[in-house]
Amino acid sequence: MPWLGLGVYKTQEGAQVEQAIADALEAGYRSIDTAAAYGNEEGVGRAIAASGVKREELFITTKVWNSNQGYESTLKAFEDSRRKLQLDVIDLYLVHWPVAGKYKDTYRALEKLYKDGHVRAIGVSNFLIPHLEDLLGSCEVVPAVNQVEFQPFLTQPELQSYCKDRNIQLEAWSPLLQGHLDVPLLQDIGHKHGKSAAQVILRWDLQNGIVTIPKSVTKCRIIENANIFNFELTAGEMEAINGLNENRRLGSDPMNFNF
């Protein structure tokens, strides 16, 4: 799985998502993260088909939405996603949110898809330690990935440690503070390296061992977000950014989510 990918949350179905993916693939991205709930799987599929990039070079993630959770309904939802994406095999299939009373059956369906060879890896999204402990008590395949909100104001150190100890890869959604990048510390560090605040955050993700999937539909930003492999933050800079943590969510709380 690439360390950097393109997220397409809130990217419009049709020309917008197709162009964003075309620009990303041209810029060297090989990982695309979508979800049934985003309503743009068909556009993602068309963009992949039109790209000319070999399938084995790509890493495609999608997710089963809350209203489709449950064993049989998840299997059906997967078939719908696979058809829309025009792919025989999905690289990573995730449970989008931990819907109480359903996520275990949902994950059991993912295990079947994995064992049958329809997905290369399975995992979860927005699972906190209580959800993971509950799931790990009964699952046969440990989730390969847990995709969660991870940004400088929400570093979730306990969850980081828990997942690392169990070989579950953390992945950051909405890493760029939903565009609110006017944080003096990040701008100062960026100035020292000749980088933007966004690039500093994405580099911080990588050095924390976090897979990151920034979303953009602007070609120059897509290119800029990928230009993070030619500099390194110092230990002091990493510590300073870690120190921004306020346990402040910009997205929904998985423990209090209106499913």
Side-chain angles (χ1 to χ4, degrees):
M1 183 180 188
W3 285 100
L4 175 73
L6 179 74
V8 295
Y9 175 58
K10 289 188 175 178
T11 305
Q12 293 175 7
E13 169 62 74
Q16 188 179 68
V17 73
E18 291 176 49
Q19 188 61 56
I21 291 173
D23 291 339
L25 293 176
E26 182 183 351
Y29 289 71
R30 290 297 179 264
S31 176
I32 307 296
D33 179 275
T34 186
Y38 300 171
N40 55 23
E41 287 176 313
E42 288 181 298
V44 172
R46 287 192 298 270
I48 292 168
S51 71
V53 177
K54 292 179 180 177
R55 174 65 184 96
E56 57 267 27
E57 294 181 16
L58 298 172
F59 193 96
I60 309 302
T61 301
T62 193
K63 313 173 192 76
V64 56
W65 183 239
N66 305 334
S67 58
N68 290 322
Q69 287 200 34
Y71 186 80
E72 295 294 342
S73 51
T74 292
L75 295 177
K76 182 179 182 301
F78 174 78
E79 290 302 327
D80 289 342
S81 289
R82 183 161 67 163
R83 174 182 53 80
K84 290 175 179 177
L85 289 166
Q86 303 179 47
L87 299 175
D88 293 329
V89 178
I90 304 297
D91 296 287
L92 178 63
Y93 197 43
L94 303 178
V95 182
H96 206 148
W97 288 87
V99 178
K102 288 191 174 182
Y103 64 76
K104 281 188 174 182
D105 284 339
T106 302
Y107 194 78
R108 193 162 53 86
L110 267 61
E111 289 180 317
K112 175 175 172 53
L113 293 168
Y114 175 70
K115 291 172 185 175
D116 289 349
H118 299 311
V119 295
R120 294 195 172 94
I122 57 175
V124 295
S125 182
N126 301 301
F127 275 50
L128 302 182
I129 292 174
H131 306 121
L132 290 169
E133 289 192 325
D134 184 38
L135 183 64
L136 292 173
S138 61
C139 69
E140 297 178 19
V141 180
V142 174
V145 169
N146 184 17
Q147 185 184 118
V148 298
E149 181 180 354
F150 181 89
Q151 35 88 354
F153 299 130
L154 183 72
T155 61
Q156 307 198 69
E158 297 85 3
L159 183 61
Q160 281 191 66
S161 296
Y162 184 91
C163 288
K164 185 175 182 180
D165 289 346
R166 288 153 184 82
N167 202 29
I168 300 170
Q169 176 63 52
L170 265 192
E171 180 179 13
W173 61 253
S174 199
L176 298 180
L177 299 170
Q178 297 180 359
H180 302 296
L181 296 167
D182 52 345
V183 179
L185 174 67
L186 299 176
Q187 292 177 338
D188 289 346
I189 292 173
H191 182 72
K192 291 176 185 175
H193 291 278
K195 297 292 183 179
S196 66
Q199 289 170 314
V200 168
I201 292 175
L202 298 175
R203 183 68 207 179
W204 170 75
D205 285 344
L206 299 188
Q207 289 183 222
N208 271 314
I210 309 293
V211 171
T212 190
I213 46 169
K215 176 254 179 177
S216 181
V217 296
T218 306
K219 185 173 183 177
C220 63
R221 293 270 174 81
I222 290 171
I223 294 169
E224 176 187 292
N225 289 343
N227 189 20
I228 56 174
F229 296 96
N230 57 359
F231 78 109
E232 188 169 337
L233 299 173
T234 67
E237 289 167 342
M238 290 292 293
E239 186 177 352
I241 299 171
N242 289 339
L244 291 173
N245 182 48
E246 301 174 353
N247 299 318
R248 171 154 57 100
R249 293 184 180 278
L250 300 179
S252 299
D253 182 350
M255 300 301 292
N256 298 286
F257 185 73
N258 182 14
F259 297 110

